[in-house]
Amino acid sequence: MAANLPWDITIEILSRLPVKSLVRFKCVSKSFYSLISQDSQFKRKHLDQSTRHDLIVNLEHGPERLFSSSLSYLSSDDHDQEGVIELPYPIKDNFSEYMTVSRSCNGLFCIQDIAGIVFIWNPSTRELRRLPDCPRTNDRIAYSLGYDSSSDDYIVLSIHKSIIGDCAARARTVFQLISLKRDSSWRKILDLPGMKFSLYGSYDFYNGAFYWTENIFIYSRRYGPLVISSFDIKEEKIKKIELSPPSRYSDQYTIFDVSVLGGKLCLYSLSSVTSFDLWVIEEYGVMKKILSIRLNEIQRYAAQVFKPLYLFEDGKIMLHTRINRIEQVDIYKDGDSAPKTTAASCKILRAYIYNETLISPQG
């Protein structure tokens, strides 16, 4: 029957299937193999229609092992072991406690190992690509991965400090880029004195730019407005947005950071005496509050991490938390003071969200 279907209808059907099935179907025929493995338009179509998002965690008692599960499974009430699979570890002999992993971009991850080597990894297809060594003089700050829609190419941003002599006060921040298709080596694009950067290394990619907060810790208003910086990959320039948090934060010790959730640029805060709050940053820096979680006394004073991972369509949010040195992944809804426990509520080391994709790290 499949042989009698028009090719365009066959493509539509295949573009809606999970990656695991498509990998198996590559052996059906030469045309299937060519479509699934080599056709960039089909890969993009499959990505655009993909609705499955997965969570990767590695557990405290087994740091060398990675486990993946779909978010639909984690948010349901019916949990069994079949909903969780183990992934082959991407970098041999380098466990995740020694890895730095950026937020996923279109299902791809940028990974740096303990030796400073950078890789691009697709957990859906298990493909891994090592990038050329990145020139750096001092401490690495961050790597992040973005997508240039004008050239259908993926861009890796490297940010690191360059200290002149032995004087930290004269440190410069160096920006370097490499594209997966066009570049064979890293190229320096900016060398800025006194640049402020995210202490958490959160450089999320949104709408053609990498975003981070400069003054992440706000106490009273003595530090001035909250500043969000961005690096535009087309113009290769730094831009800034100044935000004014609500006045009720003026006398509180509050952590602010940015995150891309539900396809929108968001600002979130963790306050020492109130709550976890989430805003969407709209045009011209307008903030629209969409969620607030009440923190009890134990959470307020014991929380070291309250990081959003995923915003569901029904308004619930998945958070990676570390409270009293115990790390969990839980789901909250607006107004909650206690989470809905998920299958990932156990001692973990890292947690990452990605969507299924056929996109190859090879470019």
Side-chain angles (χ1 to χ4, degrees), residues 64-172:
E64 73 283 2
R65 303 174 67 188
L66 292 175
F67 298 90
S68 176
S69 180
S70 70
L71 296 192
S72 59
Y73 164 77
L74 292 174
S75 60
S76 71
D77 296 320
D78 183 20
H79 293 149
D80 56 56
Q81 289 300 315
E82 293 183 0
V84 179
I85 63 170
E86 184 170 358
L87 293 176
Y89 211 79
I91 307 175
K92 304 299 182 184
D93 302 321
N94 284 283
F95 301 151
S96 61
E97 57 199 295
Y98 306 121
M99 292 195 315
T100 301
V101 183
S102 71
R103 182 181 286 269
S104 172
C105 178
N106 291 344
L108 300 178
F109 286 102
C110 181
I111 301 174
Q112 184 199 21
D113 72 3
I114 191 173
I117 300 171
V118 183
F119 301 84
I120 304 299
W121 177 47
N122 182 336
S124 301
T125 62
R126 316 295 196 259
E127 290 180 274
L128 185 72
R129 173 182 175 180
R130 176 176 172 169
L131 297 184
D133 292 344
C134 181
R136 58 194 180 101
T137 55
N138 297 102
D139 294 337
R140 181 203 61 82
I141 298 174
Y143 287 96
S144 194
L145 180 65
Y147 174 68
D148 183 355
S149 59
S150 64
S151 61
D152 188 28
D153 199 359
Y154 287 84
I155 309 294
V156 181
L157 172 68
S158 163
I159 307 175
H160 70 271
K161 290 183 294 184
S162 176
I163 299 176
I164 302 174
D166 57 356
C167 182
R170 297 170 62 193
R172 304 179 70 88

Side-chain angles (χ1 to χ4, degrees), residues 2-65:
N4 297 325
L5 287 175
W7 184 237
D8 57 342
I9 295 179
T10 301
I11 290 176
E12 285 295 326
I13 295 172
L14 292 176
S15 67
R16 288 167 168 78
L17 296 180
V19 168
K20 185 177 181 180
S21 298
L22 292 174
V23 170
R24 291 202 308 264
F25 290 168
K26 288 196 295 184
C27 64
V28 170
S29 65
K30 289 183 178 180
S31 57
F32 271 39
Y33 179 86
S34 177
L35 178 73
I36 297 168
S37 298
Q38 302 170 355
D39 192 319
S40 59
Q41 291 186 348
F42 174 76
K43 291 180 179 182
R44 188 69 208 184
K45 182 180 183 67
H46 178 269
L47 176 65
D48 291 340
Q49 297 187 156
S50 175
T51 59
R52 174 176 172 133
H53 288 77
D54 291 53
L55 172 74
I56 294 178
V57 299
N58 77 289
L59 306 182
E60 190 177 75
H61 66 267
E64 73 283 2
R65 303 174 67 188

Side-chain angles (χ1 to χ4, degrees), residues 288-306:
K288 179 183 178 182
K289 192 172 184 179
I290 59 174
L291 182 140
S292 183
I293 297 170
R294 300 189 305 271
L295 304 182
N296 59 41
E297 186 173 353
I298 295 176
Q299 288 175 322
R300 283 202 301 264
Y301 294 103
Q304 293 87 30
V305 174
F306 239 74

Side-chain angles (χ1 to χ4, degrees), residues 11 58 61-62 107 120 124 128 157 167 176 212 218 234 264 269 279 327 341:
I11 290 176
N58 77 289
H61 66 267
I120 304 299
S124 301
L128 185 72
L157 172 68
C167 182
Q176 298 179 91
W212 67 95
I218 302 297
K234 289 183 179 179
K264 299 177 181 178
S269 69
W279 296 268
E327 301 204 32
T341 301

Side-chain angles (χ1 to χ4, degrees), residues 134-135 144 155-160 172-179 182-183 185-193 208-210 212 230-238:
C134 181
S144 194
I155 309 294
V156 181
L157 172 68
S158 163
I159 307 175
H160 70 271
R172 304 179 70 88
T173 303
V174 178
F175 287 68
Q176 298 179 91
L177 286 182
I178 190 171
S179 71
R182 300 191 306 268
D183 298 329
S185 61
W186 295 82
R187 54 191 178 92
K188 183 189 293 188
I189 49 174
L190 290 175
D191 189 346
L192 305 172
F210 296 93
W212 67 95
S230 65
F231 174 76
D232 187 284
I233 61 172
K234 289 183 179 179
E235 298 182 15
E236 298 187 352
K237 293 181 179 179
I238 300 290

